[in-house]
Amino acid sequence: VKLSRQAGMAEVATGVLHNVGNALNSVNISAELLLSNVQTSELEGLAKAAGLLEKNRADLPAFFASGGDGEKLVDYLQRLSEVLADERRELSAELDSMYTGVEHVKTIITRQQTLAKAASVTEDFAPARLLEEALAFSHATLAQDGIEIVRDYDEQLTIVGDRNKLMQILLNLVSNARHAIRAALRSGILDRGAGRLYVSARDQDGTIRIEIRDNGVGIPVENVPRLFTHGFTTKDEGHGFGLHSSALAARELGGSIDVHSDGDAKGAAFTIRLPRRREPPRISVAEAADATEAV
Ligand SMILES: Nc1ncnc2c1ncn2[C@@H]1O[C@H](COP(=O)(O)OP(=O)(O)OP(=O)(O)O)[C@@H](O)[C@H]1O
Ligand SMILES: [Mg+2]
C-alpha cells in the first residue's frame, strides 16, 4: 500500500511539475519579448525630436517657418505617437499573458496543496483492527515476556482518517509499554507472567477514545511534563522521539494524546482521543492526478 501510494504521489508530482513547467515556459517567452521590445523601443525617437528643438531653441519661429525642418518634425511626432501607442499595446498584451501564466502556476500549486491534504486522509478504518495489527507486530516479544493482553474493543467503531498516522502512534505506545513491563520484570516489581497490557477502543460522547495501559515501571511524577518533548528519554538505547512524533501525529489527525501514571511502579496509561467523523473531500491519488492535469 505504501509503495503504490508513493508511486501515486510521484505520478501526481510529475503531472504537477509538467503543468507548472508549461506555464513557466510561456511566462519565459513573454519575458523575452518584453525585454527585446523595451530594448528596441521607439522612445529614443522622442529624445531625438527634443534634441532638435533644444538646438533651435534660440529661434523657434524660424525653425517652424513654412518649408523648414519644423514642419517635418510635426509629421515625425505624429507618426511617433502612433508607433509608441502600438508599442504600449504590445507590451501590455505581453504583460497580460505573463500575468496569466503566473496566475496559472499559482492555481496549480494551490489546487495540488488542497488535493494533497485531502488525499492523505481518505480511509475509513476500524481502530480495533488497527490495534490488532499493532499488537501482531509485537506478538513474539510480548509472548516471550509472558505479557498478557486484555482487550476491550467496540469493533463497530470506524474512523475516517490517515490510518498510517494512527498506526505509527500505536506501535510507539505498544513498544513503550513492553519496555516498561520488561523493566518491571527485571527489577522484580512484577513476577514473570504478571505483565498486563490493556488495550481499548471505545466511543466516549462522540469521541473515539483509544487507551494503551500497562502495569510496568510507571512514570515518576516529575517526568510527566517532559514526556512528549523531543529527545526526552530514560532509556540507554532510547531516542526520545516516539512520544514526540506520536503527539504530532495525533494532532494531525485532529485529536490529542495524554498520559496518566500514578508514579513509580504504578504502571502508565496513554489515551488517544480522535474526532469520530472528519469528512474531508474523498479524493483518491489517481483522481488528484486527473484533476491537476485538467488545470
Ligand atoms: N508506558 C510507559 N511506561 C513508563 N514510562 C514510559 C512509558 N512510555 C514512555 N515512557 C517514558 O517516556 C520516555 C519517552 O518515550 P519515547 O517513546 O518518546 O522515547 P523512548 O521510548 O525513550 O525512545 P524512542 O525514541 O526509541 O521511542 C521514555 O524514555 C520513558 O521514560
Ligand atoms: Mg519509545
Side-chain angles (χ1 to χ4, degrees), residues 178-199:
R178 183 166 52 85
H179 283 137
I181 291 171
R182 271 197 185 180
L185 291 168
R186 243 182 285 122
S187 59
I189 296 169
L190 285 179
D191 293 331
R192 184 161 168 86
R196 294 284 179 279
L197 181 61
Y198 304 88
V199 295

Side-chain angles (χ1 to χ4, degrees), residues 72-87:
K72 280 188 223 148
L73 183 63
V74 172
D75 291 339
Y76 175 74
L77 284 174
Q78 190 74 46
R79 262 185 289 120
L80 185 62
S81 78
E82 283 161 20
V83 170
L84 285 177
D86 279 351
E87 203 177 282

Side-chain angles (χ1 to χ4, degrees), residues 171-173 175-177 179 232-233 235 238-243 246:
L171 289 174
N172 275 323
L173 296 184
S175 149
N176 282 348
H179 283 137
F232 177 78
T233 181
K235 302 171 191 169
H239 299 100
F241 189 67
L243 287 179
S246 296

Side-chain angles (χ1 to χ4, degrees), residues 172-181 212-214 216-220 223 226-246 259 261 267-270:
N172 275 323
L173 296 184
V174 170
S175 149
N176 282 348
R178 183 166 52 85
H179 283 137
I181 291 171
I212 308 235
R213 185 160 57 91
D214 63 72
V217 283
I219 304 163
N223 286 351
R226 298 149 74 199
L227 229 54
F228 295 95
T229 55
H230 185 233
F232 177 78
T233 181
T234 57
K235 302 171 191 169
D236 291 341
E237 315 259 79
H239 299 100
F241 189 67
L243 287 179
H244 177 71
S245 69
S246 296
V259 60
S261 173
F270 287 83

